[in-house]
């Protein structure tokens, strides 16, 4: 079929159909920054202050995530809608959390209550037994 | 798919991005909600059950940190492979992908060792809800690592012969996403105690 | 870069007009063939789902009767039948036919390209879907029988065999649903990428036919909402088989978490199947009223708005599940809000009809009946969306009648509309109009006769999922029993009309009069291809010059103006 004879020449465009090559930052430098951040997140809990641990763990994780997305995945160089797409899915997850957490984090209501997770090693009721 | 059989549809890019890269971003978008649902549920449990903190003390932060380092390093190799592919250097890109692959392998080996140690201490999938989440989340992530490694091996095979070099970038983007998930799993499962 | 062709051992049939039979019908990568595979698999599943409905409706109307073709329905079989009827109709009929079949068939043809962007991924998507259907069917025959804990799979019925009585069936059911999601994720990525990237030269955003937009938005909704349920399915399987306690309240888990995970997907899912049907109706109504679609952009923005809102309403399924009453307030408001954009779409269609020159062909009748019946479904939803009224109506036959008044127009009427409209393109022959109309009236009248009585028995207090009403004397009043029997007999009538459609479909496929390229004088691109289109669709891919709904343009000789006509 003549239709498909064009395909190989078109296939050439596949690599960079948007017409410009990716700008490559100094990846090793970014990698080193990421390692420093990793060390910070390990050292954070040593201070044994809850708020510091949370910031060094999750704040640093967010920074690391953005650095990987921006520099390794080149999300800012892709068309803008990619960023919106990813942001939208994150917002949906926040929505899910906001709608679900009030129920799941509630332990009792009218004529019902939930057993907190006991700090034990084995299942108390032998429910694990059936397969 | 052989290049000669690729439909014209695949070669168009009205949305301003090559088809493959666009599709990878859609894959990532749908993966975000999978991990989002699981980790969201975990956070709800974590915040409302005090016993989770005590259980979380059983995880070894240094093992988690080592694995984070392994994945970050493999991500560096993946992006260097992308750069090499863009310069048209297929063999070098393939070499970088093999290094990335090796990173994934080390990650899995460490994970295997870590899990066997946990299980030998009685922390199994059903021993407590914290560990149920621990194995489910890390296991789902490990499945993504394995899938990424398989694809990477295939891509490296063609890249070595300077063929289909655009794929190097695509598997790279996916691999960075797997790395990203771990960046969040690490504080969630190992640090917050 | 990648210019040299790579020789691949499974050289697919691209460009080979006469491949082997098996390869042509089962391993094709052609989007049209994959669409047909999805459509006929969906139809076969619809027959199973319809048969289940027949069996349990007979038991409801005539308790203890020896149902012809099935036998006496035991209580657990009854639960098994209703569970799988629901799951099959939504996951294995509505989804594959409306999204996968029409999406596969229409997207490349309507945006003017030769195939999906990832033909092999497309084929894989169908194969995974087929696998999921086979797993589901296999689950009916395992020890203990198929899953019987309702299609929503609420724990503990789904997690504990001592309640659900289906140890293996429950797991297979969850696995089948999960595998099916993988298939549609692959398909959805393909649809969205194709529609974004492969449009014909000249086709701008607002030149895309509405049905393509709707299928794309539906795919996006699916991809955005299904994730938590995939994670939830994994957790549920672990709860079933490995002794975890994610959803077990006696060990610190939370069964309501499952309900949230499920309905966070489950409610957008309603719009996932609704939007393609709405799109199909848009195409048909414009063609057969010879008018431009009223307010194209408004419909498009409305569809996007509906999609976003659909992520904020899910907990209205759980008003009596013990959720936080403050959240119930919020979800009531969002639920009532979402009726606005949906109502607006229906009004837009009525405005499109206004002043048009309407032809009552079979597809047009289906499209109009979609508007009428979906309207009833939508209006009754308002009662259920308001948390106060829902406390009384929840889990009654009112709910059941409500969602059948939404899903039947979507999955059955929308599908019949689409098939009768695009049949000439799909098979190159015309369907019989007279048989089509007999089938239409028989189906739609009988459908209303089934479900209007069920609204009444629901408000009177009959609950769903009750095996035998004679055990509940206050519900077994003769007035209600008669309505139940009337509904069941109407179902028999409706089922009796379906062979007419099947006959018409298969007879016309081989013996119908040959169809011209553009039998309905329609504008969209697919009608410029041959009927049926060959592999690759056009000898030379078309170019687009205008929007899809330029009907009855003043000053033109013809009352239509194809998108690909230069002037």
């Amino acid at each position: 079929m003549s239709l498909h004879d064009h395909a190989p020449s078109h296939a050439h465009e596949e690599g960079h159909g948007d017409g410009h090559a990716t700008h490559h930052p100094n990846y090793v430098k970014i990698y080193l920054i990421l390692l420093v951040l990793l060390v910070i997140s390990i050292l954070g809990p040593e201070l044994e202050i809850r708020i510091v641990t949370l910031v060094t763990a999750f704040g640093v994780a967010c920074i690391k995530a953005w650095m990987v997305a921006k520099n390794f995945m080149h999300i800012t160089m892709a068309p803008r809608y990619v960023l919106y797409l990813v942001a939208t899915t994150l917002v949906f997850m926040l929505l899910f959390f906001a709608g679900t957490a009030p129920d799941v984090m509630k332990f009792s209501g009218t004529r019902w209550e939930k057993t907190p997770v006991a700090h034990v090693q084995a299942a108390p009721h032998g429910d694990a037994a059936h397969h | 798919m052989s290049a000669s059989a690729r439909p014209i549809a695949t070669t168009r890019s009205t949305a301003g991005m090559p088809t493959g890269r666009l599709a990878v971003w859609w894959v990532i978008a749908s993966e975000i909600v999978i991990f989002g649902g699981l980790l969201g549920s975990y956070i709800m449990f974590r915040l409302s059950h005090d016993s989770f903190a005590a259980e979380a003390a059983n995880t070894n932060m240094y093992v988690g940190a080592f694995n984070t380092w392994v994945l970050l390093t493999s991500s560096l190799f993946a992006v260097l492979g992308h750069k090499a592919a863009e310069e048209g250097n297929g063999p070098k890109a393939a070499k970088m992908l093999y290094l990335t692959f090796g990173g994934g392998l080390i990650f899995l080996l460490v994970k295997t060792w870590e899990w066997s140690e946990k299980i030998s201490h009685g922390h199994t999938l059903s021993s407590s809800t914290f560990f149920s989440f621990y194995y489910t989340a890390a296991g789902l992530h490990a499945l993504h690592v394995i899938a990424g490694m398989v694809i990477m091996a295939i891509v490296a095979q063609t890249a070595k012969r300077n063929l289909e070099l655009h794929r190097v970038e695509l598997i790279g983007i996916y691999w960075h996403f797997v790395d990203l998930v771990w960046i969040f799993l690490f504080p969630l499962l190992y640090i917050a105690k | 870069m990648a210019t040299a062709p790579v020789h691949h051992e499974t050289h697919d049939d691209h460009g080979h007009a006469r491949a082997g039979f098996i390869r042509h019908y089962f391993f094709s990568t052609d989007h049209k063939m994959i669409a047909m595979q999805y459509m006929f698999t969906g139809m076969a599943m619809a027959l199973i789902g319809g048969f289940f409905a027949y069996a349990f409706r007979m038991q409801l109307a005539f308790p203890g009767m020896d149902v012809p073709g099935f036998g006496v329905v035991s209580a657990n079989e009854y639960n098994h039948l209703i569970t799988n009827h629901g799951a099959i109709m939504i996951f294995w009929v509505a989804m594959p036919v409306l999204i996968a079949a029409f999406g596969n068939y229409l997207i490349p043809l309507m945006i003017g390209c030769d195939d999906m962007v990832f033909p092999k991924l497309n084929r894989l998507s169908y194969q995974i879907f087929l696998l999921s259907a086979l797993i589901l069917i296999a689950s009916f025959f395992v020890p203990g029988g198929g899953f019987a804990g309702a299609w929503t799979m609420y724990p503990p019925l789904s997690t504990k065999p001592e309640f659900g009585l289906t140890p293996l069936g429950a797991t297979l059911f969850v696995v089948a649903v999960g595998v099916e999601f993988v298939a549609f994720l692959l398909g959805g990525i393909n649809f969205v990428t194709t529609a974004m990237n492969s449009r014909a030269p000249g086709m701008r955003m607002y030149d895309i036919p509405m049905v393509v937009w709707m299928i794309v938005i539906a795919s996006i909704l699916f991809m955005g909402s299904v994730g938590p349920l995939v994670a939830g399915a994994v957790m549920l399987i672990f709860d079933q088989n490995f002794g975890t306690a994610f959803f077990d309240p006696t060990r610190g888990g939370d069964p309501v978490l499952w309900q949230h995970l499920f309905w966070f997907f489950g409610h957008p899912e309603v719009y996932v199947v609704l939007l393609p049907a709405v799109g199909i109706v848009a195409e048909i109504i414009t063609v057969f009223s010879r008018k431009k679609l009223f307010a194209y952009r408004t419909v498009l923005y409305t569809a996007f708005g509906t999609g976003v809102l659909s992520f904020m309403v899910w907990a209205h399924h759980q008003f009596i599940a013990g959720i936080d009453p403050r959240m119930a307030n919020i979800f009531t408001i969002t639920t009532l809000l979402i009726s606005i954009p949906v109502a607006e779409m229906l009004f837009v269609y009525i405005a499109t009809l206004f002043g048009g020159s309407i032809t009552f062909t079979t597809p047009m009748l289906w499209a109009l009946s979609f508007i009428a019946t979906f309207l009833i479904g939508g209006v009754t939803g308002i009662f259920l969306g308001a948390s106060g009224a829902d406390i009384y109506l929840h889990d009654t036959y009112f709910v059941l009648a409500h969602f059948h008044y939404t899903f039947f127009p979507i999955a059955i009427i929308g599908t019949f509309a689409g098939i009768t409209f695009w049949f000439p393109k799909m098979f190159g022959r015309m369907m019989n109009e007279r048989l089509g109309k007999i089938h239409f009236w028989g189906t739609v009248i009988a459908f209303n006769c089934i479900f209007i009585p069920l609204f009444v028995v629901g408000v009177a207090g009959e609950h769903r999922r009750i095996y035998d009403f004679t055990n509940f004397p206050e519900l077994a009043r003769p007035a209600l029993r008669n309505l139940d029997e009337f509904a069941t007999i109407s179902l028999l009538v409706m089922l009796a009309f379906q062979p007419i459609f099947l006959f018409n479909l298969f007879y016309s496929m081989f013996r119908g009069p040959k169809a011209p390229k553009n039998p309905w004088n329609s504008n969209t691109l697919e009608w410029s291809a041959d009927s049926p289109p060959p592999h690759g669709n056009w000898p030379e891919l078309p170019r687009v010059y205008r929007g899809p709904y330029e009907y009855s343009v003043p000053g033109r000789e013809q009352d239509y103006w194809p998108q690909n006509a230069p002037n």
Side-chain angles (χ1 to χ4, degrees), chain A residues 1 3-4 8 11-12 15 81 92-93 95-96 98-100 102-104 112 114-117 123-125 127-128 130-131, chain C residues 1 3 14 114 160 196 228 241 243 248-254 257 260-261 264 311 314 323-324 327 535-536 538-539:
Chain A
M1 257 181 166
L3 187 61
H4 297 289
H12 188 76
Y81 58 78
F92 281 164
M93 285 302 98
L95 266 177
F96 170 73
T100 306
D103 297 332
V104 173
W112 64 271
K114 198 162 71 184
T115 328
V117 177
H125 297 300
D127 286 318
H130 64 250
H131 284 287
Chain C
M1 292 288 289
T3 46
H14 246 88
D114 54 344
K160 302 212 171 198
M196 282 177 79
N241 299 299
D248 182 353
T250 61
R251 291 162 60 204
D254 194 332
L257 173 63
H260 281 293
L261 290 165
F264 185 79
F311 279 90
W314 78 88
I323 66 167
D324 193 322
M327 298 308 289
H535 199 115
W538 287 275

Side-chain angles (χ1 to χ4, degrees), chain B residues 29-186:
Chain B
S30 54
E31 295 273 17
I32 288 175
V33 283
I34 296 180
F35 283 103
L38 186 61
L39 297 182
S41 310
Y42 167 72
I43 294 171
M44 289 170 212
F45 276 69
R46 177 72 182 75
L47 292 177
S48 55
H49 293 282
D50 295 335
S51 64
F52 266 47
E55 289 287 346
N58 291 320
T59 59
N60 187 336
M61 185 175 74
Y62 297 103
V63 177
F66 178 77
N67 258 347
T68 314
W69 173 72
V70 169
L71 276 191
L72 281 177
T73 313
S74 74
S75 257
L76 173 70
F77 288 132
V79 80
L80 289 177
H82 167 206
K83 193 177 170 196
E86 217 158 72
E87 290 158 1
N89 190 345
K92 186 180 172 199
K95 201 177 96 191
M96 288 299 162
L97 284 188
Y98 286 130
L99 284 171
T100 317
F101 185 92
L105 204 61
I106 295 174
F107 177 88
L108 289 177
L109 288 175
V110 172
K111 200 99 237 157
T112 314
W113 171 79
E114 184 193 1
W115 280 18
S116 9
E117 200 230 23
K118 287 275 166 302
I119 291 169
S120 67
H121 283 75
H123 303 297
T124 62
L125 182 63
S126 58
S127 68
S128 73
T129 309
F130 171 79
F131 274 99
S132 303
F133 273 112
Y134 171 86
Y135 286 109
T136 311
L140 195 63
H141 176 260
L143 276 182
H144 284 77
V145 172
I146 294 169
M149 285 165 64
V150 171
I151 302 168
M152 207 168 307
I154 298 168
V155 171
Q157 283 307 308
T158 50
K160 200 163 62 183
R161 288 174 282 142
N162 266 331
L163 297 171
E164 310 271 358
L165 283 182
H166 65 277
R167 288 176 174 184
V168 177
E169 181 192 2
L170 306 186
I171 184 60
I173 295 178
Y174 174 81
W175 190 259
H176 300 315
F177 169 73
V178 174
D179 186 12
L180 272 188
V181 173
W182 185 259
I183 286 177
F184 285 103
L185 278 180
F186 171 55

Side-chain angles (χ1 to χ4, degrees), chain C residues 150-152 154 256 259 262-263 267 313-323 328 332 335 380-403 454-455 457-466 469 475:
Chain C
W151 77 283
T152 50
Y154 282 3
V256 178
Q259 301 183 11
F262 185 86
W263 288 115
H267 200 84
V313 300
W314 78 88
H316 66 219
H317 295 269
Q318 301 160 246
F319 281 150
I320 64 159
I323 66 167
T332 297
T335 305
T380 51
I382 308 277
F383 297 82
L384 301 168
S387 55
D390 185 69
I391 288 172
Y392 177 72
L393 293 170
H394 190 90
D395 246 346
T396 65
Y397 272 87
F398 188 88
V399 175
L400 185 137
H402 154 70
F403 71 70
L454 295 187
F455 279 123
V457 298
V459 174
E462 268 196 18
H463 267 240
R464 300 164 68 184
R465 294 171 180 153
I466 285 180
F469 280 107
L475 289 178

Side-chain angles (χ1 to χ4, degrees), chain C residues 528-546:
Chain C
S528 67
D530 286 340
S531 297
H535 199 115
N537 298 343
W538 287 275
E540 194 172 340
L541 294 184
R543 213 186 147 73
V544 169
Y545 297 91
R546 64 188 60 76

Side-chain angles (χ1 to χ4, degrees), chain A residues 4 7-8 11, chain B residues 1-7 10-11 158 163-164 166-167, chain C residues 2-14 16 119-120 123:
Chain A
H4 297 289
Chain B
M1 150 149 292
S2 64
S4 60
R6 188 172 282 147
T10 319
T11 63
T158 50
L163 297 171
E164 310 271 358
H166 65 277
R167 288 176 174 184
Chain C
T3 46
V6 184
H7 288 289
H8 206 281
E9 52 191 327
T10 55
H11 191 254
D12 64 305
D13 60 2
H14 246 88
H16 295 257
K120 286 192 175 174
R123 177 178 62 185

Side-chain angles (χ1 to χ4, degrees), chain C residues 35-174:
Chain C
M36 292 301 117
Q37 292 171 337
Y38 267 118
M39 198 167 88
F40 285 105
T41 316
M43 278 187 198
M45 294 304 279
L47 292 179
I48 300 177
F51 176 71
F52 285 6
Y54 153 78
F56 68 70
R57 276 309 309 183
M58 291 298 273
Q59 157 65 25
L60 265 180
F62 313 106
M65 140 188 227
D66 190 357
V67 180
F70 188 88
V72 178
V73 182
S74 74
N76 209 40
E77 274 170 349
Y78 178 83
N79 290 341
H80 157 75
L81 290 173
I82 56 169
T83 300
N84 286 288
H85 167 75
I88 286 175
M89 287 305 190
I90 288 172
F91 293 132
W92 282 276
V93 177
M95 294 278 291
V97 175
L98 277 171
I99 301 205
F102 285 116
N104 261 313
Y105 199 85
L106 296 178
I107 289 177
L109 276 167
M110 283 189 139
I111 65 173
C113 60
D114 54 344
D115 206 331
M116 284 284 172
V117 287
F118 304 118
K120 286 192 175 174
L121 193 68
N122 207 11
R123 177 178 62 185
L124 181 68
S125 151
Y126 171 73
Q127 288 166 345
I128 295 178
F129 168 75
L130 184 64
L131 176 71
S132 77
L134 295 177
I135 295 175
L136 182 81
I137 292 171
S139 82
F140 303 160
F141 302 104
V142 295
F147 180 51
W151 77 283
T152 50
M153 302 175 258
Y154 282 3
L157 280 181
S158 56
T159 49
K160 302 212 171 198
E162 62 264 38
F163 300 142
L165 301 175
T166 52
L168 194 51
T171 300
L172 282 176
F173 185 88
V174 184

